[in-house]
Amino acid sequence: MTTLELPLLDGEHWWGGAVAEGRRMPYPDGYTFDLRDVLANQGMPLLLSDRGRWVHSEHTFTFTIADGLLTAHAHEAHAVIEHGEGHGTLRGAYGDAMARHYPPSGTMPDPLLFGAPQYNLWIETVFEPTQAKVLAYAERLLAEGFPPGVLMIDDRWSNDYGDWTFHPGRFPDPAAMVSRLHQLGFKVMLWLVPYVTPDSPTARHLGDRGLLVRDTGPGAQGRAKVARWWNGWSAGLDLLDPRARAWLTGRLEALRDDIGIDGFKFDGGDAPWWRALGCADPEAYTHAWNRFGVDWPLNEFRDAWRAAGLPLAQRQQDKYHLWEGRFGLDSLIPNALAQGVTGHAFTCPDMIGGGEFRFVPGEDGEGFDEELFVRYAQIAALFPMMQFSTAPWRVLSADGLAIVRAAARLHTELAPEILSLAEHAAATGEPIQRPLEWVFPHQGYAAVTDQFMLGDTLMVAPVVTKGSAGREVRIPPGTWLADDGRSYAGPATVWIDAPLARLPYLRNTAAPNG
């Protein structure tokens, strides 16, 4: 059917759709959303209820929760919206919907993405990465006491978009650079997008072979069409054409074989951009981009559509250097929970301190908030992945740097547990980060979005408000041992002191691991 109406059950709450709307989940009365634009992050045509119900389509739809009804209206006349019920809980609804539509792949991204912090050169080299800057950053990381991990070289390492060969002026000997990084213990990723600089030899070559999305308008004569993205105007690689995918695979394999590159950050590819190119099914191009990345275990995505269950590292959309709002620090946990309940298990917060370069402090430090950076690092420490970009030693005091270094160390100490949960997610499809409602259903935890469970036994309760030296924590049933050695019996609501150096987390000692 193209329209579905479900009467809401008493006390029923709903999640799903666009991860970027995590702060609104579970959705309030009067909420509406159009899935044709999932706000530059992961999107799923899937809604889940804590009363064991789900709504799903293979196509976009607009949904509204109001006046005792959930209404979903498909945008395509041929689209089907289906629903299931009788599965009891949020976890039950998820399990049934995933088994039917998005079974787990049985594989996971490269373990190093979980086992150590990641480091992205973006903020330190915005649009101007060089071989010297990359090596200096890596060596300084180790000198400052941070462990080696995955290192990502971001935008503008290449000659042109779509060319995907190193710029010879900025990177005179990339193979030697990668060899040195490997010696230091890093794996190396490169940034790329499915876009092609229009006035370039690559565009002419691909256009002549019919591998770019074509302009179908009057008088276009089959020329490649261009559309604007955040860094200019580009043509689009026709990802639905297996010849285009084979061409790009060849380029990436050459970087692996000739230079030693280990993996890739697959940026961009959001449906609104493909729609601007005139693609009849823009979401299909986003999904094809996601599927393309599966062949590279060392990967990262920000834009995704119907990618639940795939072995992809899914980063949150770029954040500002702010505490509150859709792009603020307080969106990290709600959006991570939204990622989890929509089938994206292998999750990463944005770069610590914020990755939107126009909203991060400059070299003079103007606008920098050390407390925000420290709390951000603490939140990320017990996510499945944590990622640095802004160099901590450049912006932090000695005390702040010590706290952030401790957060990175905590992540590596808990890496075996995180990796075990990632393996479980690959096998079962269950998220690594889980809402309290997931683990303790129907006990009043649906609206708790500033705490999260790592598996079923470890609860994390970071400070997410500026100037706070503590926070209220909801303690579910069980006996909980906190990071400071104190024990709490649940259910209860307690105040936990959390000066800047502390990240509160508690383990349910009465529950089995999982």
Side-chain angles (χ1 to χ4, degrees), residues 195-502:
Y195 311 147
V196 180
T197 301
D199 186 17
S200 68
T202 302
R204 289 190 287 275
H205 171 73
L206 293 173
D208 289 344
R209 297 178 61 192
L211 302 184
L212 300 176
V213 174
R214 300 184 184 190
D215 189 339
T216 58
Q221 299 180 337
R223 291 190 300 266
K225 190 170 183 178
V226 298
R228 186 169 185 169
W229 55 294
W230 67 84
N231 202 28
W233 293 80
S234 290
L237 191 65
D238 190 348
L239 296 172
L240 301 189
D241 188 331
R243 298 176 303 148
R245 298 195 301 270
W247 174 86
L248 182 56
T249 294
R251 286 296 176 114
L252 302 191
E253 288 178 344
L255 287 164
R256 179 195 63 196
D257 298 340
D258 300 341
I259 307 297
I261 296 301
D262 300 291
F264 299 93
K265 171 180 174 177
F266 298 91
D267 207 357
D270 59 295
W273 189 79
W274 297 109
R275 187 171 287 111
L277 280 184
C279 297
D281 187 354
E283 284 76 21
Y285 284 82
T286 302
H287 185 67
W289 187 228
N290 302 148
R291 286 281 180 183
F292 182 84
V294 169
D295 291 336
W296 299 89
L298 197 58
N299 64 66
E300 180 192 282
F301 281 86
R302 174 181 54 79
D303 291 291
W305 178 253
R306 298 187 68 230
L310 298 181
L312 304 178
Q314 299 279 10
R315 179 174 61 85
Q316 291 190 30
Q317 64 185 144
D318 295 8
K319 299 294 188 288
Y320 299 171
H321 193 70
L322 298 172
W323 285 92
E324 299 178 349
R326 178 181 147 202
F327 302 102
L329 176 146
D330 72 349
S331 71
L332 291 174
I333 297 174
N335 287 6
L337 298 178
Q339 286 177 314
V341 301
T342 52
H344 308 95
F346 311 117
T347 56
C348 178
D350 190 36
M351 305 162 195
I352 291 168
E356 172 47 66
F357 76 98
R358 290 164 294 190
F359 292 86
V360 297
E363 292 185 3
D364 60 1
E366 182 181 359
F368 179 68
D369 186 333
E370 177 161 318
E371 181 188 4
L372 184 151
F373 193 97
V374 168
R375 292 301 194 192
Y376 202 127
Q378 290 173 336
I379 293 170
L382 292 183
F383 271 49
M385 307 175 192
M386 71 183 304
Q387 185 177 122
F388 287 96
S389 187
T390 299
W393 58 86
R394 179 173 66 82
V395 295
L396 295 174
S397 66
D399 289 344
L401 181 59
I403 297 170
V404 168
R405 192 183 292 120
R409 186 166 58 248
L410 175 63
H411 184 83
T412 57
E413 289 171 353
L414 288 181
E417 183 172 350
I418 293 171
L419 280 166
S420 178
L421 289 167
E423 291 167 356
H424 177 79
T428 68
E430 284 212 310
I432 299 172
Q433 282 175 289
R434 306 167 185 175
L436 269 65
E437 179 65 31
W438 181 282
V439 183
F440 303 96
H442 305 159
Q443 298 178 58
Y445 299 116
V448 178
T449 59
D450 61 353
Q451 301 172 213
F452 64 90
M453 300 295 300
L454 199 64
D456 278 355
T457 61
L458 184 63
M459 182 173 68
V460 187
V463 172
V464 297
T465 54
K466 182 174 176 60
S468 180
R471 58 157 295 165
E472 186 176 270
V473 177
R474 298 284 300 276
I475 307 290
T479 301
W480 297 81
L481 183 64
D483 58 290
D484 64 353
R486 292 191 61 182
S487 181
Y488 298 88
T493 300
V494 302
W495 178 266
I496 290 183
D497 292 329
L500 190 58
R502 184 182 180 194

